[in-house]
Amino acid sequence: MKSLEDLKKLREQAQDRMTMRMDEEQKYRVVVGMATCGIAAGARPVLNALVEEVAKTKAPAVVLQTGCIGMCTLEPIVEVFDKNNEKTTYVLVDALKAKEIVEKHILKDEVIDEYTVGKYKK
Amino acid sequence: MDELSLNLLDIVQNSIHANATLITINVIDHQQMNCIGFEVIDNGCGMTDEQVSKVIDPFYTTRTTRTVGFGIPFLQQLADETDGELKLSSVLNSGTKLSLKLKKDNIDVPVMGNLADTLFTIIQANQTIDFYFKYLDDVHEFIFDSKEIKEILDGVDINSPEIILWIKDYIKEGLKNEIT
Ligand SMILES: Nc1ncnc2c1ncn2[C@@H]1O[C@H](COP(=O)(O)OP(=O)(O)O)[C@@H](O)[C@H]1O
Ligand SMILES: [Mg+2]
């Protein structure tokens, strides 16, 4: 059974590491639409998968939530911003695709064209 | 496929949208009491009486999009159709309380679903908001108080890898329903 005492120990670990990796961690911003349309379309498992995968692989990204991105029929939507604020928009994302986005885009800087909004708008 | 925990997430987003800084969430899933539902109390911008009566009207929203199965009017309809109860009360510039109580044995009442993912989603994103979350079922109670967590973390980001993974497991473990 986990207790809040464990959390105190983890805090110290995190503190040590934080001073070292601050810069790299901000390489990407990953933003998930979590308004009603997103939630209804399945944004919750996507968010959970992204956060878990980023943490497990210590990927250089922060995962953020936002409101409606304005393309409700293409939800769940995940936007990836790089350091220059260049945006890649992934649409109709599910938990598996979310993991792949972390593995390829965040960890290897490879855009997954197949899942981007450009593919669906054509 | 419907999960009340998704409706809960949606309702909590209303409170966040209303600029609440403290959100209290009580969830019940109790076989013996034949009760399933939740209560969300916030200190956000609140509503006038007129707004409250509009909000429970199925055709009203201040947004431009409507999603089937969500929003307060849907919960009102669900409560009406299943002999349950929805209460919405609000004071302008002070806060809002929404309470949904449904009969667990009614076949049209959805299951709670993945409540852990809902709580985690809320906690992960809104670090400037305090959440007091309490869950009750037939066999146990689980409390998650974000103030207490923040105090322990003492300025360390909740999204630090080891912290956020621990929180995820802690919530999962705490919400595990032990009835077999
Ligand atoms: N907790 C709250 N505090 C203040 N206003 C609220 C709250 N919850 C709902 N409202 C108001 O009621 C409206 C309807 O809510 P809802 O049924 O969830 O639909 P939507 O959020 O899509 O507009 C909101 O747009 C908002 O103006
Ligand atoms: Mg809403």
Side-chain angles (χ1 to χ4, degrees), chain A residues 1-8 10-15 17-18 21 25 34-37 39-40 44-45 47-49 51-56 58 62-65 68 72, chain B residues 3 5-6 9-10 13 63 65 67 70-71 114-115 117-118 120-122 124-125 148-149 151-154 156-157 159-170 172-173:
Chain A
M1 200 69 192
K2 288 195 170 43
S3 85
L4 293 175
E5 280 303 312
D6 310 335
L7 189 56
K8 286 184 190 161
L10 282 178
R11 177 195 65 201
E12 279 145 35
Q13 275 179 37
Q15 264 163 339
R17 210 180 28 73
M18 217 168 51
R21 296 182 71 248
E25 263 165 359
M34 288 299 297
T36 303
C37 50
I39 296 170
R44 187 185 64 181
L47 185 276
N48 276 262
V51 174
E52 233 173 304
E53 199 60 19
V54 164
K56 274 185 191 153
K58 301 214 160 86
V62 282
V63 182
L64 305 168
Q65 299 179 28
C68 181
C72 303
Chain B
E3 298 181 26
S5 58
L6 285 176
L9 178 56
D10 184 47
Q13 300 288 21
R63 298 251 186 90
T65 50
T67 307
F70 286 88
N114 199 334
L115 189 58
D117 272 11
T118 283
F120 182 79
T121 302
I122 296 166
Q124 188 266 335
E148 189 183 14
I149 300 288
E151 240 160 66
I152 295 174
L153 288 180
D154 192 24
V156 169
D157 188 351
N159 276 294
S160 311
E162 53 273 83
I163 305 285
I164 199 73
L165 289 174
W166 185 89
I167 299 256
K168 175 117 214 182
D169 286 343
Y170 179 69
K172 255 196 230 166
E173 206 178 275

